[in-house]
Amino acid sequence: MSDSRTEDQALLAAIEDSAEQFLKDRGGLAVPRRQRASEDSPLPHAEFRREDWAEVAGLGWPGVLVPAGQDGLGLGIEAAATLARKVGRWLAPEPFTAVAGIAATLLADAPSGAARALLAALVSGERIVGVALDLDDPASGSKVVKAADGTLRLSGVAPCAAPAHPADGWLVAAADAQGRPVLVHVGAQDAGLTVEPQLEVDGRCRARLVFDDLALGAGAVVAEGAEVPALLDRAVLAGRVLYAAELLGAAERLHEMTLEYISQRKQFGKAIGSFQVLQHRCVDVRIQVELARASVEEAAAHPTQANAIRAKLRAGRAAMDAGLAAVQLHGAMGITDECDVGLYFKRVLALLPRLGGERALQAGWLAAAGEGASHEVADEWAGEFPRTADWEAMPDDQFRRMLRSFLIRNYPGHLRHMPRRVHWDEIGDWYRCLSRQGWIAPAWPAEHGGMGLPAAKQLAWFEEFESYGVARAPDQGLLMVGPVLMQYGTPEQQQRFLPKILSGENVWCQGYSEPNAGSDLASLRTEAVLDGEHYVVNGQKIWTTLAQDATHIFVLVRTDKTVKQQAGISFLLADIQSPGVTVRPITDLAGHAEFCEVFFDNVRVPRENLVGRPNEGWTIAKALLGFERLHLGSPKQSQFALAQLRTLGRNGGLMDDPAFRAAYAELALDVADLASLYTRYGDYVKRGEKLPASVSMLKVWATETYQRIGLAMARHAGASAALAGAAPVGEGRMHLLAPLFNASAARIYGGSNEVQRNILARTVLELPG
C-alpha cells in the first residue's frame, strides 16, 4: 500500500473519530428528538438551530468539499462521505448533504462572482444556502424572463427545497425565456416568494417554493447556459454519494441496536438472539450493510454517476432492511415513539426518495453503466502481449483491451459459454497457453510465478474472461493448493509442487467432504496411520470435483483419534494414481459428471507430503476454506449468468418490458455490489493478511445472487425453459437452466449457506449460542 494512501486513510480515520465524538458529546439523539416537529406543530418548523449550524461551520464541515483555494478544506468526497455517515449514525438534524454537499459543489464549480460571494458566506457559516432541484426536469418548474424594465423575473414552482427553515436562500434550477438552463439564488425574504413548508415523516421539513414574478437582484444568477447541466450533474453525484453515506450510517446503527437488544432480551429462559431464525435474519441484514459499505466506499473513492447511483440504491436497501428488522425484533417497543429505532426508521424513509426514487435510479444506472446495451468484443491490441508488466500502473481500459485481444486470438471458440464444467482433455491446451504466457495464476505473487495482480485488476480479469465466455479449467491447484503451500508448505514442497501446478503437469482435486458428514467437516473418518516414512490412508471422500481428471488430490485425514475432532486432523498431498485409489464419477441433475467419489484402500502417501505439522490440518483446512469461500464469492459466475440473461432479454425483446428491465436492473446491481464486496476481501489477500470469518458473507451473497439470476432466466425464457439441452436464443444457443442447476450446487459448496449463516451469527455478530 502506498504511503499516500496510508496517509489518506489515517486522515479519514481522524475525521471519523472527531465527528463521532462531537455528535455524541453535544447530546447524541437528544438533539434530533428536540428538533422534531409533529403534525400539530406550527409550520414552518426550525429543524435545526442556527447556533448548532454555527458550531458545525466552526469545525469546517460546510467547506469539506470546497477547494482550499476557495477558503474550504479541500478534503474531497471521501472525507465528506465519512462525515455524512456520522450524520446518519447520530441523526444530526443539520442539512449537511443539502448545503455542504450539493449547494457547495454547485457554487464551487460555478465561475460567476455571485457564486464566489455566496460560497464564501456558505463556508463561513454566515449564510445557510439550500437547494431546490427538480431532477426529472430541472428547468420545468420555473422560468426566468427579462422584463421591459430590464430586470430578471422568476415565475413558477420549485417543488422540493431543503432545508425549509432556517435557510437564508436556495439555489434554484430554472430556464430563461428561450429555454436555456439557468441557476439562480433566491433569498428567503425576497418579495414574490411564497414558502410552503411540508412536514416529512421524520419530523423535518422541506418546502415548496412558489415564485410570483420575483425580481432577481444583480447577483442572483449563479450560472447560465451550457455550463448549468454539468454543474447539476456534479452536484447531484456528490449529493447521492453523501445521502448514501447517511443511509449507511443509519443502517449500521440500526443493526448495532438490534444486535444489542436481542443479545439481552430473554424469552423462555434464553436470550432471543440465540434463536436461529433471528440470527439468520440479522446475518442477512449484515450482508446488506457490508454490501452498502463496499458500494459507498467505492463511490467515494471513484465518484462516477453509475457508482453514486448504485451506492444510493444499495445503502437504501440496507437501511430499509435494517429498519424493518429493528422494528420487528424490538417487539412491541419497536413501534413506539419512545424506542430510538423508530427515529432511525423514519429518517430512512425520508432519505430514500432524495435525488431520485428506486425505479428512476435503476433506469439511470442502466444508462450510466451501459447495462442492457450490446457488448461487442473487438481485437484492439497492437503488438506482442507482455509476460510481465507493472500491472497496477497499467490503465484499466488498456489492461482490458489487452485481455480481450488475447482471448480473441487464443481462446478456442467452441469452448465459449459452456453450460458445464469442462474436463481437462477439453481445456488443457488453453491452460497450457496461459501458462506459456505467464498468465495462468493472476492472483499468485510474482515470486512464485504468478502475475501478482492487484485486487482491482483481478476483478477486471474475471469480468473480461466471464464476458467472453471462458470456461473454468480444473483449477483447484491454482486456487487452493498453491495458496496453502505458499502459506504453510516447506520450501521443498513449494519447489516440488508449485511449478507443476503452473505448467499443468499436476492437476489437483479436493478431498474434504465425506458421506453423511455434510458441512460437519470435523467429523471426517478417513484415517491415515504413520508406517515408517509413509502414511497409510483408508476411507472415502465424496463430491470431489473433477477427480476423474486429476493427477493429485489434497486430503484431510484423521491422524489421532484420542483428541477432540478438530485436533486430530492432518493435511496430506497424494498422487491419485497411487495403488488403492478408486474414482467413481457421479452424474448431477443437469446430466453432467462433475462430482466423484474417491475411495482409499491402504494407499501409501510419503510422509514428506504432509503439509504443516501432524494433527494441525484443521488450521490449514480453515484457511483453505477461506480461500475457497473467497473463490466461491467471486462475481465470475454471476457475471456470466447475467450476461446470458441480458442476451436472452435483448434477443427476446424483453429489454423494452418495464417489468423485465426493473428485474434485470436489480440483479445487475446485485452483481455490481458483489464485485465491490469481492474487491474488499481480495485486498486482504493482496496485503497478505488472513481472511476474516466474515468472508462467508461474500460466499452467501454470491451464490444466492447466482441462483436469483438462474431463476430469472427460467422465468423469462418461456417455453424454451422446458428444454433439456441448448435452446435457440437469437442466432446462437444457450443452456437456459444451467445457471439454476449450477447455483443450487454452489449454495452447498464450501459449507452450505445455512451453516455459513450460523458461523456468521456466532463469530461475526457475536450472538449468543
Side-chain angles (χ1 to χ4, degrees), residues 380-392:
E380 300 174 336
W381 185 262
E384 299 294 320
F385 297 101
R387 288 180 55 85
T388 61
D390 185 350
W391 304 117
E392 187 161 17

Side-chain angles (χ1 to χ4, degrees), residues 168-186:
D168 296 306
W170 299 271
L171 298 173
V172 179
D176 65 14
Q178 287 73 44
R180 294 179 303 174
V182 181
L183 186 66
V184 300
H185 177 261
V186 176

Side-chain angles (χ1 to χ4, degrees), residues 111 139 174-176 178-184 221-232:
D176 65 14
Q178 287 73 44
R180 294 179 303 174
V182 181
L183 186 66
V184 300
V221 177
V222 173
E224 56 187 328
E227 67 190 17
V228 173
L231 288 176
L232 291 173

Side-chain angles (χ1 to χ4, degrees), residues 43 78 260 489 500 518:
L43 294 176
E78 286 184 282
E260 292 164 5
K500 292 182 179 181

Side-chain angles (χ1 to χ4, degrees), residues 231 253 360 583 624:
L231 288 176
R253 186 59 191 136
V583 177
L624 193 147

